[in-house]
Amino acid sequence: MPAVRPRGPWFHRFLVWFFTIVLVVLTYWTLSFLLDDIGEFAPPDYQTIRLKHVPAEVNLEITNLTSRQTTLERKARRLREQQSLLREGTENYQRTMRQMAELESLRLQKGEKPTEEQTAAVAQAEQQFLKNQREYQQKTEELALLAEQEEVVRVELEPVQRRLAAAETAAQNAYAAAFEMWQWQTAAVKVGMLVPLMVIAGWLFRRFRNSVYAPLVYAFGIAVGGKVLVTVHAYFPEIYFKYLIIGTSLALTIWLLAKLLRMIARPQTAWLLKQYREAYESFLCPVCDFPIRRGPMKFLSWTKNTIKRLPLPNMTVTNEPETAYTCPMCATQLYEECGHCHGIRTSLLPACSHCGDTRPVGESPANA
């Protein structure tokens, strides 16, 4: 008969689970600090790699041509602003000359002669108008010249930009290769430090998973396994990480499925005892789940889902003696005479409810 482990009060069980979770977190933090202090390499520097692949003369030529292009664009923008001001001034002088011409036409109709001041104002407006026109034309010619110079700079800049783009691509490829190598190195060092801890966690789990110190073993294993998963995800390339996760998941699933199948084919005593106890509590045959119809339950029907909602039968005391009982569906002996006190006891549970006589789970009195 397996030993029954005391569970303790609920608050004590809560504290055990609570401090188990705290131990998982503290162990995980400790591993994180350890890996950060020991297994960290400086990642590759992109600027250093770029200097090796991008010639200095290309950078210098790009800088000079870009500076010339910026200067020409600034001059062109300033000339356009000046042209805009000249255009506004010219339009003002045009309006002034038009108004003066209208006034002179009215005076001529009246037979009046313009004064010297009026004549001087008209002459001055005409001179300023012509001056603005000449300056506007000059700015237009300067803009055309700047446009030609900008085109020359653009033509010179295109091949240099292509050379720079090719060099930048080579630098990026070199950086990607260096970064991937850094990831592999860092992952190898960190996982290499975690592998012994994984082996220790597996040995502890195999040795102490059913002992009173099982929560300590579980906490250590969960912390180490979680840290390994996070480390692999952080440093392994994604294309390898997904296959690693899928492979690990497949292996774990196959292992669990094989373990479950072995438990069904060769069940352990504790697993059998739990199955038998739950079946007897539900008044169902532990082998085929057929209802155990004996005593007050003789004429009722139920299932695992309806047993809790089943109305209580009439428990009138009768002198009808208890008798042995066999499942009519699978012929399993469920109740039998106790070999010690000759009372009726459950056949598949370890102890007699009358005298407390025990025997191995599932063993009949004939073999006891």
Side-chain angles (χ1 to χ4, degrees), residues 39-52:
E40 189 68 49
F41 297 98
D45 181 55
Y46 177 74
Q47 293 301 326
T48 302
I49 296 176
R50 184 182 182 278
L51 290 176
K52 295 179 181 179

Side-chain angles (χ1 to χ4, degrees), residues 203-228:
W203 179 81
L204 290 175
F205 177 78
R206 186 176 181 85
R207 182 75 179 273
F208 300 104
R209 66 180 183 275
N210 294 321
S211 70
V212 295
Y213 300 107
L216 299 176
V217 175
Y218 294 152
F220 181 73
I222 291 172
V224 173
K227 191 58 187 177
V228 169

Side-chain angles (χ1 to χ4, degrees), residues 88-100:
E88 292 178 0
T90 302
E91 292 174 354
N92 290 332
Y93 287 124
Q94 281 181 329
R95 286 193 296 271
T96 301
M97 292 170 59
R98 191 180 302 112
Q99 292 171 356
M100 295 296 291

Side-chain angles (χ1 to χ4, degrees), residues 110-286:
K110 296 178 181 180
E112 299 177 356
K113 293 183 179 181
T115 62
E116 294 180 0
E117 294 179 354
Q118 293 173 343
T119 304
V122 172
Q124 183 179 2
E126 290 177 353
Q127 291 176 359
Q128 194 64 40
F129 174 79
L130 294 174
K131 178 182 177 183
N132 285 357
Q133 286 286 81
R134 287 193 298 271
E135 291 183 359
Y136 188 88
Q137 184 64 30
Q138 182 182 357
K139 302 297 182 186
T140 302
E141 294 174 357
E142 292 179 3
L143 278 173
L145 181 59
L146 287 176
E148 293 177 358
Q149 294 176 354
E150 287 181 358
E151 180 63 19
V152 171
V153 172
R154 187 186 64 80
V155 171
E156 294 178 359
L157 191 59
E158 284 181 354
V160 182
Q161 287 178 333
R162 285 194 293 269
R163 291 173 56 193
L164 179 63
E168 290 280 5
T169 301
Q172 291 172 0
N173 293 336
Y175 175 77
F179 187 79
E180 183 176 358
M181 180 59 66
W182 170 80
Q183 283 184 310
W184 280 108
Q185 291 175 348
T186 307
V189 171
K190 293 192 174 186
V191 173
M193 289 189 294
L194 290 172
V195 165
L197 297 179
M198 292 175 59
V199 174
I200 293 174
W203 179 81
L204 290 175
F205 177 78
R206 186 176 181 85
R207 182 75 179 273
F208 300 104
R209 66 180 183 275
N210 294 321
S211 70
V212 295
Y213 300 107
L216 299 176
V217 175
Y218 294 152
F220 181 73
I222 291 172
V224 173
K227 191 58 187 177
V228 169
L229 182 64
V230 171
T231 301
V232 171
H233 179 267
Y235 294 101
F236 271 67
E238 183 178 356
I239 188 173
Y240 302 110
F241 178 75
K242 61 182 181 182
Y243 290 109
L244 180 63
I245 290 297
I246 292 175
T248 304
S249 301
L250 284 173
L252 182 61
T253 302
I254 293 173
W255 177 78
L256 289 174
L257 183 58
K259 185 175 180 64
L260 292 173
L261 293 174
R262 284 197 303 269
M263 288 177 64
I264 295 175
R266 296 185 295 275
Q268 297 180 355
T269 302
W271 188 80
L272 267 181
L273 182 60
K274 182 176 184 297
Q275 175 187 349
Y276 293 163
R277 184 196 69 196
E278 292 176 353
Y280 275 112
E281 288 176 351
S282 301
F283 298 99
L284 297 171
C285 174

Side-chain angles (χ1 to χ4, degrees), residues 3-23:
V4 179
R5 184 180 301 170
R7 299 177 62 193
W10 72 268
F11 185 70
H12 188 90
R13 297 197 302 271
F14 168 77
L15 289 179
V16 169
W17 282 107
F18 174 77
F19 284 109
T20 299
I21 295 174
V22 172
L23 182 60

